[in-house]
Amino acid sequence: MLALAGAVEYVAPPFPGDTVTLFGVALAHGSGYALWLVYGAVTLGSIGGSLVAYSFGAWLGHHEERWPGFLRRDPTRRRIHTLVERFGRHGGAYLAVNRFLPAFRAVFFVAAGMAELPLWKVVVFGGLSAAAWNAGILVVGSVVGASFETLERVYDQYTWWAFAALGIVVLLAVLRWLWQTRRARTQ
């Protein structure tokens, strides 16, 4: 499941793969799963998803006539070709930092595919970036998983106080409404 979450965020970028992974690592840690297996699954999922985006980019690069109209307009088309040219020269470096720029992860691999970056560069540099990022998530998730009971107590207390505050606000609003209604009748 975590491998799938790691892959889907490259195919459907709004998908919160990092959040799912963080929660999954916390649960895995608390349940006694081997974290190296979780780490491996998430990293392989990330690489798999990046290869889907790369393949889509390669397809786009060979089918420019099928691009949507707004991408075929001259200024946009020139920018895309400039981006693809830069990826042809510096693609490995761009892929090495892709995971640290969450909103643009998939776009990096689409551009790499359009630039026909060699597959080995995509796997190596994209894999290194995913491995580094996922290691950070693993550390944070492990800390959360190790202190899950403490977080649960804090959450329970927060929930109690939040409902108490909400109850007081509702009570004050009702009392104010009753006071204003009574005052309006006496005038």
Side-chain angles (χ1 to χ4, degrees), residues 13-56:
F15 181 78
D18 289 340
T19 305
V20 172
T21 300
L22 181 64
F23 187 67
V25 169
L27 290 177
H29 185 274
S31 301
Y33 285 97
L35 292 180
W36 67 272
L37 287 174
V38 173
Y39 175 72
V42 172
T43 302
L44 287 175
S46 296
I47 293 169
S50 69
L51 291 177
V52 170
Y54 171 80
S55 298
F56 177 64

Side-chain angles (χ1 to χ4, degrees), residues 103-176:
F104 303 103
R105 289 177 184 159
V107 175
F108 279 73
F109 290 95
V110 171
M114 292 176 75
E116 298 179 351
L117 209 63
L119 186 60
W120 72 267
K121 280 188 176 184
V122 173
V123 172
V124 169
F125 292 110
L128 288 172
S129 184
W133 181 261
N134 291 336
I137 289 179
L138 191 80
V139 168
V140 172
S142 295
V143 169
V144 170
S147 56
F148 204 69
E149 291 175 4
T150 302
L151 290 172
E152 190 175 30
R153 277 194 314 275
V154 168
Y155 175 77
D156 287 342
Q157 289 175 357
Y158 167 79
T159 302
W160 188 90
W161 284 105
F163 279 126
L166 181 63
I168 290 169
V169 167
V170 168
L171 178 64
L172 291 174
V174 168
L175 290 174
R176 181 176 181 209

